[in-house]
Amino acid sequence: MHKAAQAYLSTQVHTTSKGELLLMLYDAAIKFMKQAKVKINEKDYAAKGILISKAIEVISELTASLNKEKGGELAENLSKLYIFCNTRLLQANLKMDTQKLDEVIKIIDGIASAYREIIPTEEARAAVPLQTTASASSGTTNVNRSFVNDAGYGMPTPSAQNMPSPNALRLKKAANAYGGGI
């Protein structure tokens, strides 16, 4: 059964978009921290240490995946925030402090919530059809893509620099923090 679960997870990771993988990492970190809180209350300190270590590993992976060249100031700020979170997790581990765990859960959940708003799911992309309008002067078709239908997940691409969304710059910066393409 364990091999089947690993095969399923491997398939899921290889067929999931970068944005959805990012959300999976946030969710995993939060899950490990919540489980660690339970283990602290149960006085199972060995399990607590393992779970906090897993959360630290996930957050370290998030830090390592940042593209500081493309992401600029946003990537740098996220990096500092992740380092702060890992420091708090180490303190929580040493002091058995569930309040520090709650603090990091709140931070990571806030970041995850923000990314959930800009990273569409397959269901969202399928639910919103493309809108097309015919151009009277040129006889060509102008495709106005909604945020969720855009192949770049709402991020301007070299061929679509004039994206009509007022949030395009913010979304582009968010995507660039992780190397673009989310």
Side-chain angles (χ1 to χ4, degrees), residues 12-103:
Q12 186 178 13
V13 167
H14 286 81
T15 60
T16 304
S17 73
K18 289 180 183 179
E20 290 166 331
L21 283 173
L22 180 65
L23 292 175
M24 287 171 62
L25 286 171
Y26 287 130
D27 291 341
I30 291 167
K31 179 183 85 170
F32 294 140
M33 289 183 281
K34 286 181 177 180
Q35 289 174 343
K37 283 179 54 178
V38 170
K39 295 302 178 185
I40 288 172
N41 291 331
E42 293 175 352
K43 299 191 184 327
D44 186 351
Y45 302 124
K48 174 263 322 171
I50 291 168
L51 290 164
I52 289 177
S53 293
K54 287 181 178 185
I56 289 171
E57 287 176 23
V58 170
I59 294 171
S60 295
E61 183 64 31
L62 289 166
T63 305
S65 69
L66 291 169
N67 184 332
K68 292 182 182 173
E69 288 178 23
K70 286 185 176 183
E73 185 180 347
L74 178 63
E76 192 62 41
N77 289 340
L78 279 171
S79 177
K80 289 176 184 176
L81 189 58
Y82 293 150
I83 291 168
F84 172 81
C85 288
N86 276 346
T87 302
R88 283 298 211 214
L89 289 174
L90 290 170
Q91 293 169 346
N93 194 22
L94 291 173
K95 297 180 181 181
M96 312 300 172
D97 190 341
T98 59
Q99 288 180 332
K100 284 185 176 41
L101 284 170
D102 286 334
E103 182 181 348

Side-chain angles (χ1 to χ4, degrees), residues 149-164:
N149 280 332
D150 188 47
Y153 298 101
M155 309 310 152
T157 60
S159 63
Q161 289 297 318
N162 296 322
M163 187 173 162

Side-chain angles (χ1 to χ4, degrees), residues 109-137:
D109 188 49
I111 297 168
S113 294
Y115 272 103
R116 273 189 188 85
E117 291 183 24
I118 65 169
I119 299 172
T121 62
E122 279 298 319
E123 295 83 19
R125 285 192 295 273
V128 181
L130 286 175
Q131 302 168 352
T132 60
T133 57
S135 174
S137 61

